[in-house]
Amino acid sequence: MIRFDNYNFAYECNEKEQGIHGIDLEIKQGEFVLLCGESGCGKTTIIRSVNGIASHLMKGSSSGKVYVNGIDVSESEMYKLSDVVASVFQNPKSQFFNTDVESEIVYTLENRGVDIGVIEERLNLAMKDLKLERLAGRSMFELSGGEKQQVAIAGGYIAGTPVVALDEPTANLDPDAILKIRGILEKMKALGKTVLIAEHRLSWLKGLSDRVIYMKEGRIEKDMDAELFFGMSEEERKSLGLRELSFESEKGLKPDLHPDNYEKRKLLEVNDLTLAYKKHIVQENLNLYVREGEILGITGVNGAGKTTLLRALAGLSKKQKGAVILDGKKSTRKSRRKRFGMVMQDVNYQLFADSCENECMLGNPLVNSEEAASLLNEAMLSGLNERHPQSLSGGQKQRLALAVCKASDKEILLLDEPTSGLDYKSMLAVKDTLRKLSANGKAIIIVTHDKEFLSLICDRVQKLRKI
């Protein structure tokens, strides 16, 4: 179904680690193949090579061939490839064109001129098969991250293509949402679809994958049977820079969290806070605190108001009622914007400069080129000083945003899914950076579904419940 013949792709920036090299690979019809490896290893480029984005839409050079269902990808029109390959991206918002659920799911079929009666029949069947009836009639703007990802995958399901390619589809999802995504993919597999998925969060794919391709520096390093892969030792898994392979991290936090034994002052207190998102109340009478030098984890299902909480604390949005106390005094939104640093869930919204070095210096007049280089080195971005931030992989952008946040030297740091798209080694690097910041007295609040990360770094964890 998919064949790479000595295929190479180099992006115009000519950074070796950002392309793929000498790829020879065959994937049979109905196979479920997992692509894994450290950030920037070429997983996304493999996906882009299959769906035609690399050869048709990206600036770069290629050699060799990629065939999908017998079609030469580089020679085929994109609209013809869409009859064969359905794509689901890490950020589902990047592929949405409609404002309501049903219109978005059937968008591909409408584009292909499918008869309206067939469209309605397929839509009703997809909503039932994938158990999405609860989303019927909903606005796309009202959906949680997990629900949006389900809609994106439903669009691939209804398209009827023989191949489905997914790039980090669970990066920002809670465990319940991940299980729903798994259920949809199980249905696709049962229908004989060929599924190619690039992922860092691996445990949920155990028992679903048939085969695992491990990539390193743009090349295929290992091609393994899935059962053998998921049975590897912890030492080998860590040496490959991979996240947990078992389901332990999804069942609950490990019991060895740091005890809350701080004697330091409470730097931030939240009293009886009520929050709303688009006039819909998401949290009521919320209370929490964080001490100087403490790392607080915030978790909860998609739609529980975690991101809304961070935005309110940072002074980026209004609270409905309640008080945010700093150093024992009520604070204003303006005062908080001066003292809080924030890394957003979608870091594309906060990367503005034309190079990684300039990004570290933008808005930070005390940071010079030498200090910027040190920040980038600590963020595992050494040698990428002149690279444009938007040319980085998702995980690299995440680490860059954290480096910029560190450079700002704010007292309280708010991080929204800071390990989204990160491999194991990058996650440990983020952990080490945050631990150094907390040791210097920074108070840090982390919103995440990544329980592996929470168990490694947080002093306390507070769970928000959805109203």
Side-chain angles (χ1 to χ4, degrees):
M1 183 58 71
I2 300 172
R3 189 172 91 243
F4 287 75
D5 287 345
N6 192 28
Y7 185 73
N8 304 272
F9 185 88
Y11 291 98
E12 195 173 77
C13 62
N14 201 30
E15 290 288 342
K16 180 180 177 182
E17 69 273 19
Q18 290 301 303
I20 54 177
H21 320 284
I23 304 297
D24 285 301
L25 175 65
E26 288 190 0
I27 297 174
K28 298 177 182 178
Q29 180 179 350
E31 272 195 299
F32 193 113
V33 179
L34 164 62
L35 293 168
C36 64
E38 298 180 357
S39 297
C41 69
K43 302 185 299 296
T44 294
T45 307
I46 290 286
I47 296 289
R48 289 172 176 171
S49 300
V50 170
N51 60 24
I53 288 178
S55 57
H56 290 279
L57 300 178
M58 308 297 296
K59 291 183 178 180
S61 59
S62 64
S63 62
K65 291 290 186 180
V66 181
Y67 299 95
V68 181
N69 201 26
I71 298 173
D72 184 336
V73 172
S74 63
E75 299 295 329
S76 173
E77 297 288 349
M78 283 291 285
Y79 74 88
K80 291 182 179 178
L81 283 172
S82 70
D83 289 339
V84 182
V85 184
S87 300
V88 179
F89 304 129
Q90 178 177 340
N91 182 357
K93 291 185 292 185
S94 65
Q95 64 187 97
F96 289 156
F97 294 89
N98 292 275
T99 58
D100 65 279
V101 169
E102 287 92 337
S103 295
E104 183 57 46
I105 292 175
V106 303
Y107 180 71
T108 300
L109 297 183
E110 289 182 331
N111 255 351
R112 286 155 57 182
V114 176
D115 181 77
I116 186 64
V118 175
I119 290 179
E120 290 179 351
E121 183 179 342
R122 285 200 197 177
L123 174 63
N124 293 332
L125 184 62
M127 297 291 279
K128 182 180 179 181
D129 283 352
L130 307 183
K131 301 178 181 178
L132 299 180
E133 293 94 341
R134 68 191 185 287
L135 301 183
R138 297 271 300 278
S139 165
M140 295 297 297
F141 301 105
E142 297 174 352
L143 303 184
S144 69
E147 289 169 336
K148 288 176 181 176
Q149 199 62 281
Q150 290 174 60
V151 171
I153 296 177
Y157 180 85
I158 198 174
T161 59
V163 178
V164 181
L166 307 98
D167 191 6
E168 299 277 357
T170 67
N172 299 316
L173 304 188
D174 63 59
D176 288 341
I178 290 175
L179 290 178
K180 289 184 174 70
I181 299 299
R182 179 185 169 103
I184 295 175
L185 294 183
E186 285 175 341
K187 192 77 177 179
M188 288 183 173
K189 183 176 180 179
L191 291 172
K193 305 284 187 183
T194 303
V195 180
L196 185 63
I197 181 170
E199 261 287 12
H200 281 302
R201 298 173 76 172
L202 305 173
S203 62
W204 69 280
L205 291 166
K206 186 176 182 179
L208 187 57
S209 304
D210 300 311
R211 183 176 165 198
V212 180
I213 306 294
Y214 173 77
M215 299 192 66
K216 185 175 182 179
E217 296 180 352
R219 299 183 184 276
I220 295 177
E221 186 87 358
K222 296 178 183 291
D223 187 344
M224 306 172 64
D225 175 79
E227 188 174 349
L228 180 64
F229 173 82
F230 284 100
M232 74 170 62
S233 67
E234 281 290 285
E235 292 74 18
E236 186 177 3
R237 185 266 298 179
K238 291 178 180 179
S239 71
L240 295 176
L242 300 176
R243 303 296 295 272
E244 286 192 346
L245 303 180
S246 69
F247 287 101
E248 289 302 314
S249 65
E250 300 299 337
K251 291 179 180 176
L253 294 173
K254 296 175 181 177
D256 58 346
L257 292 178
H258 301 284
D260 181 26
N261 58 359
Y262 283 84
E263 298 296 332
K264 296 181 179 179
R265 64 192 174 100
K266 290 182 179 179
L267 188 57
L268 167 70
E269 293 182 77
V270 171
N271 296 331
D272 297 324
L273 198 66
T274 295
L275 301 169
Y277 177 73
K278 296 185 183 297
K279 299 183 180 180
H280 173 67
I281 300 296
V282 293
Q283 281 294 322
E284 286 185 305
N285 302 319
L286 177 64
N287 295 280
L288 61 83
Y289 69 90
V290 61
R291 297 181 186 275
E292 183 181 32
E294 185 180 20
I295 300 178
L296 172 67
I298 302 290
T299 188
V301 299
N302 291 111
K306 303 182 297 299
T307 296
T308 304
L309 169 63
L310 292 193
R311 290 182 59 81
L313 293 179
L316 300 179
S317 61
K318 294 180 180 179
K319 56 183 174 56
Q320 296 295 104
K321 66 175 184 178
V324 179
I325 312 294
L326 288 177
D327 292 326
K329 299 178 181 179
K330 285 187 177 182
S331 64
T332 63
R333 290 174 62 195
K334 184 177 180 180
S335 67
R336 295 200 297 277
R337 285 197 288 267
K338 294 180 180 180
R339 299 179 65 180
F340 284 70
M342 185 171 178
V343 175
M344 299 178 180
Q345 185 176 127
D346 186 349
V347 295
N348 290 297
Y349 288 126
Q350 60 187 116
L351 298 176
F352 304 103
D354 59 358
S355 72
C356 293
E357 178 181 283
N358 289 337
E359 195 70 58
C360 291
M361 296 190 290
L362 184 65
N364 300 311
L366 299 180
V367 177
N368 57 31
S369 293
E370 184 177 340
E371 290 168 330
S374 178
L375 286 166
L376 293 173
N377 182 57
E378 187 174 348
M380 298 174 65
L381 298 172
S382 179
L384 302 182
N385 305 46
E386 300 303 318
R387 280 281 298 280
H388 196 292
Q390 296 300 336
S391 73
L392 301 177
S393 71
Q396 290 169 329
K397 288 178 183 178
Q398 200 78 24
R399 300 200 301 276
L400 175 60
L402 181 58
V404 173
C405 187
K406 180 182 178 183
S408 68
D409 199 32
K410 299 293 179 70
E411 294 175 76
I412 303 174
L413 304 182
L414 308 175
L415 310 178
D416 196 353
E417 297 287 356
T419 60
S420 171
L422 295 192
D423 57 61
Y424 182 72
K425 291 179 181 178
S426 299
M427 179 188 72
L428 294 183
V430 170
K431 182 204 75 170
D432 292 342
T433 297
L434 295 180
R435 272 289 162 206
K436 289 177 183 177
L437 291 171
S438 68
N440 290 329
K442 306 292 185 185
I444 302 172
I445 299 178
I446 300 172
V447 160
T448 185
H449 296 300
D450 189 344
K451 293 185 178 179
E452 183 181 7
F453 183 61
L454 285 173
S455 67
L456 286 172
I457 192 170
C458 292
D459 300 300
R460 289 184 296 115
V461 177
Q462 184 163 337
K463 185 173 183 178
L464 301 190
R465 301 195 179 279
K466 192 172 182 179
I467 294 180

